[in-house]
Amino acid sequence: DAVAADAAYKTPAITKYLIENEMTPALPYTRPRTKEGFFRKHEYVYDEYYDCYICPSGEILNYSTTTKEGYREYKSSKHICANCPFLSQCTESKDHQKVVTRHIWQEYLEEADHLRHHKEVKTIYAKRKETIERVFADAKEKHGMRWTTLRGLKKLSMQAMLTFAAMNLKKMANWIWKGPEMA
């Protein structure tokens, strides 16, 4: 029904898969990764109808190309940006051209961001730290998974499998164990 994950799994491909398979993505807020003093991406308005971006000064960034990673590039006009009063807040490009990228599946990420504010999704995401994160915290703190002295994928896989098998056995023992009965 729903999938709770941390920010590393908040990708266009994963959110597309979840939404298309009718699963609710419970993903966190991710801060914009813009340099200090520059316009953030949300300050450039995307116009779906004309498939373009509008910059904070009102100029249009037209579609240019799609990269092999699936990002559509929208570029500004060099001669217009050269005289713009916001150029220093927009780009450090030597040719005075702003490039904004948008993934071909960006609308799925936007939908996941809208769902993040729903009450049901908030409760699902809150359970993530109680269940999933707890397992990894215990593995790191109590079972030596913070670092390893082993080398090689095969040896590390074996150590991880044995560690998680031991943790599962401890869980099963706790479920089965009955405390002393009162007389």
Side-chain angles (χ1 to χ4, degrees), residues 70-97:
Y71 287 92
R72 296 173 58 88
E73 290 184 351
Y74 298 85
K75 295 182 180 180
S76 65
S77 176
K78 296 177 187 180
H79 65 278
I80 293 174
C81 289
N83 300 320
C84 181
F86 299 115
L87 181 64
S88 62
Q89 294 174 282
C90 186
T91 183
E92 293 178 323
S93 171
K94 287 183 174 55
D95 62 352
H96 309 298
Q97 187 175 44

Side-chain angles (χ1 to χ4, degrees), residues 39-122:
F39 290 129
R40 297 207 165 134
K41 189 175 179 178
H42 71 267
E43 294 179 77
Y44 295 85
V45 179
Y46 180 66
D47 186 338
E48 281 184 52
Y49 184 78
Y50 291 107
D51 190 29
C52 66
Y53 272 92
I54 302 169
C55 78
S57 67
E59 297 299 329
I60 293 175
L61 285 77
N62 290 311
Y63 169 73
S64 172
T65 186
T66 303
T67 65
K68 60 185 174 184
E69 291 84 22
Y71 287 92
R72 296 173 58 88
E73 290 184 351
Y74 298 85
K75 295 182 180 180
S76 65
S77 176
K78 296 177 187 180
H79 65 278
I80 293 174
C81 289
N83 300 320
C84 181
F86 299 115
L87 181 64
S88 62
Q89 294 174 282
C90 186
T91 183
E92 293 178 323
S93 171
K94 287 183 174 55
D95 62 352
H96 309 298
Q97 187 175 44
K98 175 66 178 178
V99 178
V100 176
T101 59
R102 178 181 177 84
H103 199 276
I104 56 173
W105 297 328
Q106 184 69 31
E107 62 270 8
Y108 294 102
L109 276 175
E110 291 167 357
E111 180 61 24
D113 278 337
H114 292 301
L115 289 171
R116 180 175 62 84
H117 299 290
H118 292 182
K119 190 174 184 178
E120 311 86 55
V121 176
K122 284 182 180 182

Side-chain angles (χ1 to χ4, degrees), residues 115-132:
L115 289 171
R116 180 175 62 84
H117 299 290
H118 292 182
K119 190 174 184 178
E120 311 86 55
V121 176
K122 284 182 180 182
T123 57
I124 292 166
Y125 190 74
K127 287 183 180 180
R128 181 184 144 273
K129 65 183 171 194
E130 299 168 5
T131 55
I132 300 163

